[in-house]
Amino acid sequence: MDIKQARDTAIADTITSIRAIEQDGPINYDTLKAIRAELIALADDKSLFPRDQFPLTGTGDSAIYRLSEDVDHRFALYGSTGAAGKSVPPHNHTTWAVIVGVHGDELNRFYERLDDGSVEGQGRVEEKGKFTVSHGNGVVFLPEDIHAISTDDAESTLHLHLYGLALDQLHERLVFNTVDGTVRQMALTTEFLSA
Protein backbone atom coordinates (compact mmCIF):
# COMPACT_ATOMS: atom_id res chain seq x y z
CA MET A 1 0.00 0.00 0.00
CA ASP A 2 1.44 3.38 -0.97
CA ILE A 3 1.39 6.46 1.28
CA LYS A 4 -1.70 7.99 -0.35
CA GLN A 5 -3.68 4.74 0.04
CA ALA A 6 -2.57 4.41 3.67
CA ARG A 7 -3.48 8.06 4.33
CA ASP A 8 -6.89 7.71 2.67
CA THR A 9 -7.66 4.61 4.73
CA ALA A 10 -6.56 6.29 7.97
CA ILE A 11 -8.62 9.37 7.14
CA ALA A 12 -11.72 7.30 6.34
CA ASP A 13 -11.40 5.43 9.65
CA THR A 14 -10.94 8.70 11.56
CA ILE A 15 -13.92 10.38 9.92
CA THR A 16 -16.08 7.34 10.75
CA SER A 17 -15.10 7.71 14.42
CA ILE A 18 -15.73 11.46 14.31
CA ARG A 19 -19.18 11.02 12.76
CA ALA A 20 -20.07 8.72 15.68
CA ILE A 21 -18.87 11.32 18.22
CA GLU A 22 -20.89 14.06 16.52
CA GLN A 23 -24.04 11.90 16.39
CA ASP A 24 -23.66 10.96 20.05
CA GLY A 25 -24.60 14.38 21.38
CA PRO A 26 -24.81 18.10 20.75
CA ILE A 27 -21.75 19.89 19.41
CA ASN A 28 -20.09 21.72 22.29
CA TYR A 29 -16.52 22.16 23.47
CA ASP A 30 -16.43 18.69 25.06
CA THR A 31 -17.61 17.08 21.83
CA LEU A 32 -15.06 19.06 19.84
CA LYS A 33 -12.27 18.04 22.23
CA ALA A 34 -13.17 14.38 21.60
CA ILE A 35 -13.04 15.08 17.85
CA ARG A 36 -9.70 16.84 18.33
CA ALA A 37 -8.30 13.72 20.03
CA GLU A 38 -9.23 11.66 16.96
CA LEU A 39 -7.55 14.15 14.63
CA ILE A 40 -4.42 14.32 16.78
CA ALA A 41 -4.21 10.52 16.61
CA LEU A 42 -4.52 10.70 12.80
CA ALA A 43 -1.77 13.35 12.57
CA ASP A 44 0.49 11.41 14.95
CA ASP A 45 1.97 9.43 12.05
CA LYS A 46 3.72 12.18 10.12
CA SER A 47 4.74 9.68 7.44
CA LEU A 48 1.13 9.76 6.21
CA PHE A 49 1.50 13.49 5.52
CA PRO A 50 4.92 14.03 3.93
CA ARG A 51 5.63 17.66 3.12
CA ASP A 52 6.45 16.84 -0.51
CA GLN A 53 2.87 15.64 -1.08
CA PHE A 54 1.49 18.95 0.26
CA PRO A 55 3.60 21.57 -1.51
CA LEU A 56 2.94 25.28 -1.75
CA THR A 57 1.39 26.50 -5.00
CA GLY A 58 3.61 26.98 -8.04
CA THR A 59 3.93 30.64 -7.09
CA GLY A 60 4.96 29.79 -3.52
CA ASP A 61 1.64 30.68 -1.92
CA SER A 62 -0.21 28.77 0.78
CA ALA A 63 -2.45 25.93 -0.44
CA ILE A 64 -5.49 24.02 0.79
CA TYR A 65 -5.81 20.31 0.01
CA ARG A 66 -9.23 18.68 0.25
CA LEU A 67 -8.66 15.30 1.93
CA SER A 68 -12.21 14.17 2.66
CA GLU A 69 -15.76 15.45 2.42
CA ASP A 70 -19.13 13.74 2.76
CA VAL A 71 -21.55 13.92 -0.18
CA ASP A 72 -23.68 16.38 1.82
CA HIS A 73 -20.56 18.56 2.31
CA ARG A 74 -20.26 17.71 6.00
CA PHE A 75 -17.13 16.50 7.83
CA ALA A 76 -14.80 18.30 5.41
CA LEU A 77 -11.12 17.64 6.13
CA TYR A 78 -8.35 19.74 4.62
CA GLY A 79 -4.59 19.82 4.71
CA SER A 80 -3.65 23.50 5.01
CA THR A 81 -0.12 24.23 3.83
CA GLY A 82 1.16 27.58 5.01
CA ALA A 83 3.94 29.59 3.42
CA ALA A 84 6.30 31.49 5.70
CA GLY A 85 4.53 34.62 6.84
CA LYS A 86 1.02 33.29 6.13
CA SER A 87 -1.53 35.39 7.95
CA VAL A 88 -5.34 35.30 8.10
CA PRO A 89 -7.08 38.12 10.01
CA PRO A 90 -9.69 37.47 12.71
CA HIS A 91 -12.64 35.50 11.32
CA ASN A 92 -15.39 33.11 12.32
CA HIS A 93 -16.38 29.86 10.59
CA THR A 94 -20.20 29.63 10.94
CA THR A 95 -19.66 25.92 11.54
CA TRP A 96 -17.66 23.99 14.11
CA ALA A 97 -13.96 23.58 13.39
CA VAL A 98 -10.99 21.61 14.72
CA ILE A 99 -7.35 22.33 13.77
CA VAL A 100 -4.41 20.07 14.66
CA GLY A 101 -0.73 20.24 13.81
CA VAL A 102 1.32 18.00 11.56
CA HIS A 103 4.39 20.01 10.49
CA GLY A 104 5.48 23.37 11.87
CA ASP A 105 3.77 25.91 14.09
CA GLU A 106 0.61 27.94 13.51
CA LEU A 107 -0.09 30.74 15.95
CA ASN A 108 -3.80 31.08 16.73
CA ARG A 109 -5.01 34.28 18.34
CA PHE A 110 -8.48 34.18 19.93
CA TYR A 111 -10.84 37.15 19.88
CA GLU A 112 -14.03 38.29 21.55
CA ARG A 113 -16.48 40.49 19.69
CA LEU A 114 -17.16 43.69 21.63
CA ASP A 115 -20.12 45.12 19.70
CA ASP A 116 -23.52 43.46 19.26
CA GLY A 117 -23.47 43.41 15.45
CA SER A 118 -26.39 45.83 15.19
CA VAL A 119 -24.47 48.40 13.11
CA GLU A 120 -23.78 47.12 9.60
CA GLY A 121 -20.09 47.05 8.79
CA GLN A 122 -19.02 47.63 12.40
CA GLY A 123 -17.24 44.83 14.20
CA ARG A 124 -14.89 45.51 17.05
CA VAL A 125 -12.91 42.60 18.46
CA GLU A 126 -10.39 42.26 21.26
CA GLU A 127 -7.69 39.60 21.57
CA LYS A 128 -8.31 37.36 24.57
CA GLY A 129 -5.61 34.71 24.23
CA LYS A 130 -3.35 32.75 21.93
CA PHE A 131 -2.13 29.22 21.36
CA THR A 132 0.46 27.71 19.03
CA VAL A 133 -0.79 24.66 17.14
CA SER A 134 2.00 22.18 16.49
CA HIS A 135 2.38 18.42 16.14
CA GLY A 136 0.51 16.69 18.96
CA ASN A 137 -1.98 19.42 19.83
CA GLY A 138 -4.84 21.43 18.38
CA VAL A 139 -7.63 23.96 18.87
CA VAL A 140 -11.43 23.78 18.63
CA PHE A 141 -14.05 26.35 17.61
CA LEU A 142 -17.79 26.66 17.81
CA PRO A 143 -19.45 28.41 14.82
CA GLU A 144 -19.22 32.00 16.12
CA ASP A 145 -15.80 31.75 17.78
CA ILE A 146 -13.29 34.17 16.26
CA HIS A 147 -9.59 33.54 15.64
CA ALA A 148 -6.69 34.67 13.47
CA ILE A 149 -3.78 32.55 12.30
CA SER A 150 -0.19 33.23 11.31
CA THR A 151 2.93 31.23 10.55
CA ASP A 152 6.54 32.30 10.81
CA ASP A 153 8.36 29.01 10.10
CA ALA A 154 11.10 29.11 7.46
CA GLU A 155 9.67 25.86 6.02
CA SER A 156 6.09 25.43 4.93
CA THR A 157 3.70 24.24 7.62
CA LEU A 158 0.96 21.62 7.36
CA HIS A 159 -2.06 21.41 9.62
CA LEU A 160 -5.30 19.43 9.42
CA HIS A 161 -8.49 21.52 9.43
CA LEU A 162 -11.80 19.72 9.94
CA TYR A 163 -15.08 21.58 9.50
CA GLY A 164 -18.66 20.59 10.17
CA LEU A 165 -19.47 21.96 6.71
CA ALA A 166 -17.15 22.38 3.71
CA LEU A 167 -15.35 25.70 3.20
CA ASP A 168 -17.00 26.33 -0.16
CA GLN A 169 -20.42 26.10 1.54
CA LEU A 170 -19.73 28.78 4.16
CA HIS A 171 -21.35 31.85 2.60
CA GLU A 172 -21.85 33.91 5.79
CA ARG A 173 -18.37 33.97 7.32
CA LEU A 174 -17.15 37.26 8.75
CA VAL A 175 -13.66 38.76 8.77
CA PHE A 176 -12.73 41.59 11.14
CA ASN A 177 -10.38 44.53 10.69
CA THR A 178 -8.80 45.16 14.09
CA VAL A 179 -7.39 48.56 13.07
CA ASP A 180 -10.58 50.34 12.06
CA GLY A 181 -13.15 48.19 13.87
CA THR A 182 -14.97 47.05 10.75
CA VAL A 183 -16.34 43.71 9.61
CA ARG A 184 -17.21 42.31 6.19
CA GLN A 185 -18.21 39.03 4.64
CA MET A 186 -15.19 36.80 4.10
CA ALA A 187 -14.39 35.72 0.55
CA LEU A 188 -15.58 32.18 -0.13
CA THR A 189 -12.79 29.59 -0.35
CA THR A 190 -13.34 27.61 -3.55
CA GLU A 191 -9.90 26.49 -4.75
CA PHE A 192 -8.61 23.19 -3.41
CA LEU A 193 -5.77 20.92 -4.47
CA SER A 194 -5.58 17.14 -4.29
CA ALA A 195 -2.87 15.29 -2.40
Side-chain angles (χ1 to χ4, degrees), residues 71-87:
V71 293
D72 61 358
H73 305 296
R74 298 192 69 227
F75 301 101
L77 179 65
Y78 304 93
S80 180
T81 300
K86 172 186 176 181
S87 179

Side-chain angles (χ1 to χ4, degrees), residues 69 72-73 78 94 165-172 188-189:
E69 182 181 325
D72 61 358
H73 305 296
Y78 304 93
T94 69
L165 189 64
L167 286 172
D168 55 1
Q169 303 298 309
L170 305 179
H171 301 279
E172 304 297 326
L188 195 63
T189 304

Side-chain angles (χ1 to χ4, degrees), residues 19-30:
R19 276 193 210 99
I21 292 168
E22 195 258 4
Q23 292 169 356
D24 209 27
I27 287 292
N28 55 37
Y29 288 118
D30 289 336

Side-chain angles (χ1 to χ4, degrees), residues 87-122:
S87 179
V88 180
H91 61 278
N92 67 4
H93 297 107
T94 69
T95 187
W96 58 262
V98 179
I99 302 170
V100 303
V102 182
H103 299 291
D105 295 334
E106 177 185 275
L107 178 62
N108 278 253
R109 295 181 185 275
F110 311 120
Y111 291 84
E112 179 178 357
R113 187 167 185 171
L114 301 177
D115 64 287
D116 62 7
S118 62
V119 179
E120 186 175 344
Q122 180 179 312

Side-chain angles (χ1 to χ4, degrees), residues 31-178:
T31 311
L32 292 177
K33 288 174 184 175
I35 291 172
R36 178 179 61 191
E38 294 290 333
L39 271 190
I40 288 172
L42 172 64
D44 185 54
D45 185 357
K46 287 185 176 184
S47 71
L48 292 175
F49 302 95
R51 275 192 164 107
D52 65 349
Q53 290 189 11
F54 296 88
L56 299 171
T57 66
T59 57
D61 293 325
S62 300
I64 300 175
Y65 292 82
R66 185 178 356 228
L67 300 177
S68 180
E69 182 181 325
D70 285 6
V71 293
D72 61 358
H73 305 296
R74 298 192 69 227
F75 301 101
L77 179 65
Y78 304 93
S80 180
T81 300
K86 172 186 176 181
S87 179
V88 180
H91 61 278
N92 67 4
H93 297 107
T94 69
T95 187
W96 58 262
V98 179
I99 302 170
V100 303
V102 182
H103 299 291
D105 295 334
E106 177 185 275
L107 178 62
N108 278 253
R109 295 181 185 275
F110 311 120
Y111 291 84
E112 179 178 357
R113 187 167 185 171
L114 301 177
D115 64 287
D116 62 7
S118 62
V119 179
E120 186 175 344
Q122 180 179 312
R124 294 181 300 112
V125 294
E126 179 178 74
E127 186 176 332
K128 62 177 185 172
K130 58 187 174 181
F131 182 81
T132 300
V133 173
S134 56
H135 187 251
N137 69 30
V139 290
V140 303
F141 301 101
L142 289 172
E144 294 311 314
D145 288 342
I146 300 167
H147 79 133
I149 59 173
S150 60
T151 61
D152 293 320
D153 291 22
E155 261 189 296
S156 63
T157 60
L158 175 65
H159 295 88
L160 300 182
H161 291 228
L162 178 68
Y163 299 94
L165 189 64
L167 286 172
D168 55 1
Q169 303 298 309
L170 305 179
H171 301 279
E172 304 297 326
R173 295 175 75 188
L174 298 177
V175 61
F176 296 83
N177 184 319
T178 58

